[in-house]
Amino acid sequence: MPSPITIIQCHLDQGNRSSRAGTRVVTVSVFESAFSSMPGRLPGHPAAKRRGSPGSGVSTSGSAAMPGPAPGAPVPPIRPPTDGFLFLDRDRFADSFAADVPAATAAFMADSQVPWGVDALDGAVCEPAWQTRPSWYLVATDDRMIPPAAQRAMSERAGATVTETPGSHAVYVSRPAVVAAVIAQAARAAGWPLPRPPRLAP
């Protein structure tokens, strides 16, 4: 019997946490607008560290996952911590996170966002799966949460098979067929028999 195929799909800082699933259970990794940390660091959400605010205890420096923002680059509207948790500013959520998503959907996403715990911003990745397993990366070229240049740098470091598409950070909502096609490509490469998808329009 062939070994089971485990595909781990990551978005945002799930890329860091999912990497800790370990090489023993991961067959391939699929990153979509996600962080991928180097061993020894788990910066949580580096954008949150960059954002910072007076008295927030959140560093404004860059991280092991990616450098600080270029001058004039969009900065995610992360509010100062409340009771140890971070949220995106609701009024600026759509522009930063979901600019190409219908307004009603973006508003729902803003209202239902799950906060990040400040304590989760630090930690360590011992053996990221992307170092020893194949990986695929979908770069969202209109992302205002993780700069596309940083996505390209992380995908290159991981030796990932890269696809680029126009899209916001919420590319899984605005262009689900593109996301599904990348996951299917990774699955077929891992030996999972899937029918060929129809050719997508650019």
Side-chain angles (χ1 to χ4, degrees), residues 10-12 31-36 50 65-67 96 136-171:
C10 321
H11 177 255
L12 198 95
F31 297 90
E32 50 168 288
S33 302
F35 294 112
S36 59
R50 291 203 315 269
M66 69 180 201
S96 292
W136 275 253
Y137 201 109
L138 177 62
V139 175
T141 59
D142 302 317
D143 197 332
R144 295 186 178 183
M145 290 291 295
I146 305 178
Q151 296 180 45
R152 295 184 183 106
M154 289 185 286
S155 63
E156 181 179 0
R157 182 181 64 197
T161 300
V162 179
T163 298
E164 297 201 6
T165 184
S168 70
H169 193 65
V171 64

Side-chain angles (χ1 to χ4, degrees), residues 6 8 16-29 125-130 132-133:
T6 303
I8 195 161
N16 291 323
R17 285 151 182 77
S18 298
S19 291
R20 292 191 295 177
T23 58
R24 289 175 296 179
V25 298
V26 175
T27 307
V28 296
S29 300
V125 170
C126 298
E127 188 181 3
W130 58 260
T132 56
R133 296 290 187 268

